[in-house]
Structure formats: structure tokens, C-alpha cells
Amino acid sequence: MQHKVKLTVIDKKLYPELQAQYCADPESGACPVYEIGDEFVFERYGEADDFWKMGMGRQCSEAWDAIARYIYTGLQGGSIMRGWMKDERVMIACCSDGTRPVIFKIERMDYKVIDIDGIHSENDKDQIKSTLETIAGVKQVVFCETYIEVYLHQNVEDAILERAVQECGAYRVLKIDGDQK
């Protein structure tokens, strides 16, 4: 199983009375770095290592200090906050700016990478996608350049995914998650 982490800005707060009382610029306002709805997807697959390339230096340092541990844990497939959140793949966290905090949803996205031989048209893709999305536990199917990503609510055995692809027609699964077939 592979893992990505989606970081979504779900809220921004502003405490002008605290800024007036404590900040050098009493009218500094809301966070200028993030907007509600901003999304960042972190990936570590193949050559991609977004934790290092998209994290440090590209995120606000106060925010990164608060969220990096959860992103790293999710990218490794770990429980982000078992026992605290309803779903151990999700965490709500905020930056440490006490006068204008930004609230983030951090979500581990579990998926399997499948390389398939024999796809020649959009109809082929549509057929494979619709078949895979009928399997219990499959959330979404995304076609990339040379492979597909099958996002999961829960683990689905490789054999079930492979059989579903093969039942669609003259397709051959070359590998799932990097394990050579």
C-alpha cells in the first residue's frame, strides 16, 4: 500500500484584540500565507519526495512546525492520531500563531499503484475505472501517465484488483505497488 497526505486549510482565525495588545504591528491582520480551501498533496513514490520538496521552505515555518510530524507519519502509512480522531487517517491541527492561527485538515490517502498492459483507448480506461470502483473498499481510480492509482477506504487484496482488471478484457496486470508479477 502506498500513501499520500492531503493538507487542506479549513479555517483561519483572527484575534484583533490580542494583536492590538501584543503585536508590534497591532493591525497585522489575518495570515497572509494561506487561504481557506488551499490544498497541498504530499507524495513519496518513486522519485517524488514532496515532504522535503514541498514542505520545508515552501510552507510557513510556524505551520510546518505544527504539521510536519503528522504529514511524515501519514506518508509512512502510520496512524496520524489513533484514539483521538474518529478516523486514524485524519488530524485537525493548527499553526502556533496565537493571534491569527490557521487550521488544517491532514488526511492520509491510502492507495495502490497498478501497472496495466493493453490499455489503448479512453473506453478501456472507462471500463477499468468503473469496474474497479464497484469493489468494496475502493474510493476512486485515477489514471496517470503509465499507471493507475486506486484510492482505498480500506485494504483490498491485490488478487481482487487483478482479477477485476482481467475480467474487463484483454488486459494484463504487470505489477501492483511495485511487486513484480
Side-chain angles (χ1 to χ4, degrees):
M1 180 107 52
Q2 303 298 322
H3 313 282
K4 293 183 184 183
V5 174
K6 182 165 66 170
L7 176 70
T8 306
V9 176
I10 60 172
D11 204 358
K12 291 172 56 167
K13 299 294 183 187
L14 175 61
Y15 300 102
E17 69 283 357
L18 294 176
Q19 287 183 346
Q21 186 174 359
Y22 296 106
C23 292
D25 178 359
E27 296 180 16
S28 53
C31 172
V33 178
Y34 300 103
E35 297 300 328
I36 294 172
D38 286 352
E39 288 186 351
F40 306 89
V41 176
F42 294 84
E43 177 178 9
R44 293 184 98 183
Y45 185 77
E47 297 295 316
D49 189 351
D50 296 335
F51 182 79
W52 297 113
K53 294 176 184 171
M54 283 179 47
M56 299 186 305
R58 291 196 150 182
Q59 302 289 327
C60 167
S61 62
E62 292 298 312
W64 188 245
D65 186 50
I67 61 178
R69 73 187 113 236
Y70 302 118
I71 294 169
Y72 189 78
T73 298
L75 287 171
Q76 304 305 317
S79 170
I80 296 176
M81 194 52 76
R82 180 180 292 140
W84 176 249
M85 304 301 292
K86 290 179 180 179
D87 183 343
E88 72 175 33
R89 296 171 296 180
V90 176
M91 178 61 184
I92 305 300
C94 67
C95 73
S96 59
D97 187 332
T99 69
R100 56 184 186 185
V102 175
I103 294 114
F104 300 94
K105 178 182 179 186
I106 305 160
E107 178 183 9
R108 187 185 84 212
M109 300 165 30
D110 302 332
Y111 69 104
K112 292 190 177 193
V113 175
I114 306 177
D115 288 338
I116 303 172
D117 184 41
I119 299 173
H120 302 292
S121 69
E122 290 302 314
N123 286 339
D124 293 345
K125 290 179 181 180
D126 290 343
Q127 182 180 8
I128 292 169
K129 179 178 178 169
S130 63
T131 299
L132 288 172
E133 287 180 344
T134 63
I135 297 172
V138 172
K139 181 178 183 179
Q140 181 183 19
V141 175
V142 176
F143 279 84
C144 301
E145 275 187 48
T146 59
Y147 56 90
I148 65 172
E149 295 176 341
V150 180
Y151 290 87
L152 305 168
H153 292 290
Q154 63 194 37
N155 189 35
V156 176
E157 292 181 28
D158 292 355
I160 293 171
L161 297 171
E162 184 171 1
R163 188 169 41 254
V165 169
Q166 290 171 341
E167 288 174 359
C168 287
Y171 309 111
R172 191 170 64 113
V173 173
L174 302 175
K175 64 181 176 177
I176 297 178
D177 285 339
D179 294 330
Q180 203 64 22
K181 290 284 174 188

